Amino acid sequence: MKIKQEELTQEIKELIKKYKEVIRYLVIGILTTVINYIVFAILVNNVKIEMHTSNIIAWIVSVIFAYFTNKLFVFESKSFKLNTLIKEITSFTISRIFSLLLEETILYIFVNLLNMNKLVIKLIANILVIILNYILSKFIIFKKSKN
């Protein structure tokens, strides 16, 4: 029995090591989504700012958080050379603008046109955005160089 537990523990450690980047991205993605969702909910419900304006403000706050946490903890991009930072920040921002437009389109269609619950639709849109942002970050923004 002890040998099986040790083998299982070792297998779990290997899986965590193998999928470390994805696990970290999911954790950071969830935290980013929570920040985005809370800022959005406070602005739209408590401060009474219009839905799309609230969404853009929440997006700005969460993108700033996401850039630094993705750079340092998920994709472990350690370069702080000016040209690297400019390239990363520019491509990160452009990709996030693209995902913001996707999210805004989803909100417009499902909330404005179909009159569905804005907080539920916001959450569903965020899940789609997390997936898209991972793909863009991994293969374009923080792509590891081959040398």
Side-chain angles (χ1 to χ4, degrees), residues 109-123:
I109 291 168
F110 290 96
V111 176
N112 293 85
L113 299 180
L114 300 176
N115 203 29
M116 297 175 81
N117 184 292
K118 63 184 142 226
L119 295 178
V120 171
I121 297 304
K122 170 80 173 158
L123 186 60

Side-chain angles (χ1 to χ4, degrees), residues 38-106:
I38 289 172
V39 170
F40 175 80
I42 289 170
L43 293 175
V44 86
N45 290 328
N46 297 57
V47 185
K48 304 294 185 202
I49 295 176
E50 188 271 333
M51 178 183 70
H52 295 285
T53 304
S54 295
N55 192 50
I56 290 169
I57 294 168
W59 176 83
I60 291 168
V61 171
S62 61
V63 165
I64 292 167
F65 172 79
Y67 171 73
F68 288 105
T69 53
N70 276 286
K71 176 179 179 55
L72 299 173
F73 302 114
V74 177
F75 299 104
E76 299 177 340
S77 173
K78 303 298 183 191
S79 176
F80 285 92
K81 293 178 185 173
L82 185 59
N83 62 337
T84 301
L85 286 173
I86 290 170
K87 177 191 164 286
E88 286 178 352
I89 290 170
T90 301
S91 57
F92 191 86
T93 303
I94 289 169
S95 73
R96 291 321 194 255
I97 289 170
F98 177 72
S99 61
L100 172 66
L101 293 174
L102 172 66
E103 183 177 356
E104 280 291 310
T105 302
I106 292 169

